[in-house]
């Protein structure tokens, strides 16, 4: 039944994507009601070795009688595959919040945190807002820039920018986490508008570009672009 519900959710999301295709780039959208599905963050196996690939995570879970239903790269990482910013797995802080200033997309302020509370409520918040929420968090990943904050597009985005990449991100609506990957190169402004104007999301976070990858059992898809750091996933049972 859970697989059927997931498939239906993907079909609805796909319909929304197709409806917008005439007006611009195509996107794949996957939605999870986190009152019904459990989202997890993966980085290393039991031996402390990074997964790096979605198919390796899939195999590791299969050996434990679990099936990977969905996975997506979860944020930016260093050359050693460690997270650039905050990473919280099952309430344990693996990597601290990073509020420093530097070059690159991660540091294009405001950046943000995607989190899931112990009660199963997803949120996207500006990074400096996170410490006040940290006690009740089960899962969190930090990235940047924020695509939308309270419905407002990031002020640094340029509508006609020629910086176009395959990009992925996450937005929230109530108890639903909404994951999006572009199927064509897009700029930041176009990506943010898709969340706001098509998906009607008010808060959304950019996860990454170029390395963007999706695993979907329902879509019979498992991407490999290059080796990854943190990975967001849903596995059953």
């Amino acid at each position: 039944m859970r697989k059927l519900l997931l498939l239906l959710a993907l079909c609805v999301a796909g319909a929304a994507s197709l409806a917008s295709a005439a007006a611009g780039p195509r996107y794949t959208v996957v939605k999870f009601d986190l009152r019904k599905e459990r989202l997890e963050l993966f980085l290393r196996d039991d031996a402390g070795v990074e997964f790096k690939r979605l198919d390796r995570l899939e195999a590791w879970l299969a050996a434990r009688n679990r099936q990977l239903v969905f996975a997506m790269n979860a944020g930016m990482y260093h050359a050693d595959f460690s997270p650039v910013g905050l990473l919280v797995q099952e309430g344990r802080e693996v990597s601290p919040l990073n509020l420093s200033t530097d070059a690159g997309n991660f540091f294009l302020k405001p950046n943000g945190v995607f989190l899931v509370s112990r009660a199963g409520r997803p949120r996207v918040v500006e990074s400096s807002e996170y410490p006040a929420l940290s006690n009740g968090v089960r899962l969190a990943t930090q990235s940047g820039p924020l695509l939308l904050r309270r419905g407002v597009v990031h002020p640094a985005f340029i509508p006609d920018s020629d910086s176009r990449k395959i990009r992925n991100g996450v937005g929230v609506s109530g108890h639903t986490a909404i994951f999006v990957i572009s199927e064509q190169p897009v700029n930041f402004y176009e990506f943010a508008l898709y969340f706001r104007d098509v998906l009607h999301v008010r808060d959304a976070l950019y996860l990454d570009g170029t390395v963007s990858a999706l695993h979907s059992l329902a879509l019979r898809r498992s991407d490999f672009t290059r080796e990854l750091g943190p990975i967001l996933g849903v596995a059953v049972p």
Side-chain angles (χ1 to χ4, degrees):
M1 184 62 176
R2 292 178 72 185
K3 291 181 185 177
L4 177 59
L5 289 173
L6 174 62
L7 180 59
L8 289 174
L10 284 164
C11 288
V12 170
S17 182
L18 290 172
S20 66
R26 294 182 300 109
Y27 301 85
T28 296
V29 181
V30 183
K31 302 181 181 182
F32 290 103
D33 183 336
L34 298 188
R35 292 170 297 186
K36 302 174 182 177
E37 305 292 345
R38 184 175 179 83
L39 190 65
E40 299 178 64
L41 260 172
F42 301 95
L43 179 60
R44 302 181 180 95
D45 64 18
D46 299 332
V49 178
E50 289 82 5
F51 291 109
K52 298 182 184 178
R53 292 176 56 135
L54 303 183
D55 56 351
R56 291 175 187 163
L57 173 60
E58 182 182 27
W60 183 81
L61 287 166
R64 287 151 181 79
N65 297 313
R66 302 182 69 197
Q67 187 170 37
L68 186 63
V69 172
F70 160 83
M72 180 176 276
N73 54 297
M76 297 174 191
Y77 50 96
H78 295 293
D80 64 356
F81 301 97
S82 63
V84 175
L86 178 74
L87 190 77
V88 176
Q89 293 176 291
E90 300 305 322
R92 182 175 68 91
E93 185 179 286
V94 177
S95 179
L97 189 71
N98 186 345
L99 297 179
S100 61
T101 299
D102 206 336
N105 290 332
F106 180 94
F107 299 99
L108 186 58
K109 305 292 180 66
N111 58 11
V113 173
F114 167 68
L115 65 89
V116 179
S117 72
R118 294 186 187 277
R121 182 69 178 257
R123 292 185 67 181
V124 169
V125 300
E126 193 272 325
S127 292
S128 66
E129 298 172 340
Y130 175 78
L133 306 169
S134 59
N135 287 340
V137 169
R138 179 180 65 81
L139 170 158
T141 182
Q142 183 183 11
S143 191
L146 280 174
L147 297 169
L148 296 171
R149 187 183 187 196
R150 302 184 185 120
V152 177
V153 175
H154 194 293
F157 293 174
I158 302 169
D160 58 354
S161 170
D162 61 2
S163 176
R164 295 177 176 275
K165 300 179 184 294
I166 300 296
R167 303 183 189 271
N168 70 298
V170 59
V172 297
S173 178
H175 285 87
T176 300
I178 304 170
F179 297 94
V180 181
I181 185 168
S182 69
E183 299 301 336
Q184 298 165 265
V186 295
N187 64 32
F188 275 129
Y189 188 79
E190 291 166 337
F191 199 38
L193 288 192
Y194 185 77
F195 275 96
R196 189 191 70 182
D197 297 346
V198 178
L199 300 177
H200 307 296
V201 166
R202 289 179 53 80
D203 296 291
L205 178 66
Y206 178 64
L207 292 174
D208 214 338
T210 305
V211 306
S212 300
L214 170 68
H215 173 96
S216 170
L217 181 65
L219 294 176
R220 298 181 181 179
R221 170 176 174 174
S222 194
D223 300 339
F224 176 72
T225 52
R226 61 185 66 184
E227 293 184 326
L228 304 171
I231 298 168
L232 282 158
V234 173
V236 294

